[in-house]
Amino acid sequence: MSDTSQHLFIRACFQQPVERTPVWMMRQAGRYLPEYRAVRKDHDFITMCKTPDLATEVTLQPIDIVGVDAAILFSDILVIPEAMGMELQFIPGKGPNFPKPIRDAAMLKTLKRIDAEKDLRYVLDAIRQVKQSLDGRVPLIGFSGAPWTLATYMIEGSGSKNYKYPKQWAYARPDLLHSLMEKLSKAVSDYCIAKIDAGAEAIQLFDTWAGILSREGFREFALPYVKQIIETIRRPGIPIIYFAKGAMIWQEDLLSCGADVIGVDWTANLQDVRRAAGNRVALQGNLDPTALYAPPEKIRQLVKDMLAQYGQGYGHIANLGHGILPDIPVPHAQEFVRAVKEESSRWKQTN
Ligand code: CP3
């Protein structure tokens, strides 16, 4: 199998020279693609995650159709709580749901320690199959939810506007929350290591709900566990990306967390973050996902602005500031990717 360690996505993660800026999109394997919807029509989402043939097919779709520079394994962050013993449903139009959320010490006790090779074997099989199909064309990113974001769904039971239950635990039962975070850190670390062993060439930790914590809460419940995971899963040549949405106000905490790459949401200015980062980390992002509703000419201008914000030098991976939305026209996603490739080649050649 071809070696992708010198691929431009991996080089950019380690701030090494690249001939142009690499680009991929969070949630790139999804409903905005008619080809995804065609597969999804015949299978429910969890079945797709659990069937390596189907997971492989949809993982590859954005590589072929949109031309991104990295693949991200089609799966979901909530496979970990499911492997720990929680019943998981995806309700059409509503999203993920745990009918029996973790609300007390007794329920917390029921969570099993996972054996990734056994309990999440289907994910590892999908990685092996995707790698074979990719045959070195682009690197494969494996991902996990960060403990805090996994905990929000496990305690709340579903997505929510104000996450009353997990936040209540942060103040009323910090002992239980820490105990859950410890269990999750162990599970996430084991899972990420198993993914790397199966062939994942980069790992992204998604902390989608970091921004609902207070600054102190973020420092007590989210950050230390992420740091511990990063230390545990670090392997030579495998970049680690931490994306904490809504946490850019605590950028110094992010920049010093030990990740190779910080995912930047669309609320921040890349130039400001880069100035603060120095050469400590690479930056990934950060076009507002709703900007892809703009006409293609405008998308190109916004891409130019984003590249100019990062400026010269290496260590930028172009992406959206969060996942691509399901009703974005495919030509707009294609224009985003094409514009990054063309404009950054020009930029890198003339600077
Ligand atoms: O990036 C990729 O293309 C890889 C696939 C991927 C999915 N989920 C597929 C998916 C990844 C990286 C995720 C991560 C994920 N899952 C996160 C963190 C990233 C983020 O967007 O904040 C979160 C919070 C989840 C939990 C989750 N899964 C939610 C809230 C939903 C419902 C909302 C929605 O977008 O429908 C899902 C379902 C889900 N995960 C879908 C996909 C393609 C849609 C399923 C369908 O086809 O109906």
Side-chain angles (χ1 to χ4, degrees):
M1 219 178 286
S2 316
D3 174 26
T4 54
S5 63
Q6 290 308 307
H7 190 277
L8 95 159
F9 166 76
I10 303 289
R11 279 187 276 141
C13 288
F14 290 123
Q15 304 173 68
Q16 293 162 357
V18 286
E19 49 286 5
R20 63 166 176 82
T21 304
V23 54
W24 68 281
M25 296 181 298
M26 289 186 274
R27 304 293 285 267
Q28 66 191 16
R31 284 163 297 183
Y32 72 103
L33 290 174
E35 292 82 355
Y36 173 88
R37 296 196 300 270
V39 179
R40 176 74 171 81
K41 175 169 69 57
D42 298 327
H43 310 276
D44 66 58
F45 174 66
I46 300 181
T47 304
M48 282 174 65
C49 292
K50 292 189 174 174
T51 312
D53 277 347
L54 297 174
T56 300
E57 183 178 348
V58 296
T59 298
L60 263 61
Q61 285 174 349
I63 319 300
D64 298 326
I65 300 164
V66 191
V68 285
D69 293 309
I72 180 161
L73 183 73
F74 179 81
S75 182
D76 200 80
I77 60 168
L78 300 177
V79 298
I80 289 189
E82 193 193 38
M84 292 170 94
M86 293 183 78
E87 183 191 338
L88 170 64
Q89 308 165 334
F90 280 88
I91 301 171
K94 264 196 71 194
N97 186 53
F98 293 110
K100 296 187 204 83
I102 308 292
R103 295 279 169 80
D104 56 34
M107 292 175 92
L108 186 58
K109 261 210 161 128
T110 65
L111 293 174
K112 289 188 308 194
R113 211 179 136 162
I114 64 158
D115 174 348
E117 281 294 341
K118 201 170 113 254
D119 304 324
L120 291 159
R121 174 77 190 255
Y122 62 89
V123 179
L124 307 177
D125 285 343
I127 291 180
R128 293 184 268 260
Q129 197 171 327
V130 168
K131 286 269 292 188
Q132 223 154 29
S133 304
L134 278 174
D135 195 24
R137 271 192 290 163
V138 294
L140 174 62
I141 304 169
F143 68 87
S144 172
W148 165 251
T149 289
L150 293 176
T152 59
Y153 286 103
M154 293 163 78
I155 302 169
E156 189 77 19
S158 62
S160 154
K161 269 211 175 68
N162 42 23
Y163 288 96
K164 172 181 147 176
Y165 293 102
K167 292 207 68 184
Q168 186 177 34
W169 265 24
Y171 292 100
R173 292 307 307 265
D175 55 326
L176 294 186
L177 187 52
H178 276 298
S179 159
L180 175 57
M181 298 304 284
E182 255 152 46
K183 284 176 198 261
L184 285 170
S185 298
K186 179 81 186 84
V188 168
S189 298
D190 289 354
Y191 181 54
C192 290
I193 291 169
K195 281 187 160 180
I196 295 169
D197 289 345
E201 290 144 306
I203 294 288
Q204 174 154 328
L205 298 173
F206 281 95
D207 221 346
T208 306
W209 299 116
I212 64 168
L213 284 161
S214 67
R215 181 192 176 101
E216 291 69 29
F218 180 67
R219 287 187 168 172
E220 178 174 352
F221 296 107
L223 194 60
Y225 297 98
V226 166
K227 284 185 173 169
Q228 192 186 309
I229 291 166
I230 291 172
E231 269 174 40
T232 311
I233 69 173
R234 177 158 294 297
R235 298 290 182 275
I238 309 286
I240 302 168
I241 307 165
Y242 180 44
F243 173 66
K245 190 168 83 73
M248 295 315 298
I249 35 169
W250 310 312
Q251 70 178 15
E252 191 44 43
D253 286 340
L254 302 181
L255 296 171
S256 56
C257 76
D260 303 289
V261 184
I262 291 303
V264 181
D265 73 24
W266 69 91
T267 61
N269 178 296
L270 272 186
Q271 187 175 11
D272 295 342
V273 186
R274 187 170 181 207
R275 208 170 277 149
N279 55 11
R280 284 182 290 173
V281 293
L283 300 179
Q284 176 174 279
N286 73 337
L287 188 72
D288 185 344
T290 54
L292 294 190
Y293 290 120
E297 324 72 83
K298 174 113 191 241
I299 293 174
R300 182 163 291 250
Q301 186 53 50
L302 293 167
V303 164
K304 283 192 196 175
D305 295 346
M306 172 180 69
L307 295 171
Q309 268 185 30
Y310 186 82
Q312 294 182 35
Y314 307 111
H316 181 210
I317 299 104
N319 204 317
L320 304 174
H322 192 202
I324 185 168
L325 295 159
D327 58 347
I328 294 297
V330 176
H332 292 207
Q334 287 166 328
E335 177 61 9
F336 170 68
V337 169
R338 195 182 311 118
V340 170
K341 290 181 175 179
E342 291 173 359
E343 301 298 335
S344 71
S345 308
R346 215 165 290 154
W347 175 268
K348 298 274 188 236
Q349 275 157 26
T350 54
N351 281 285

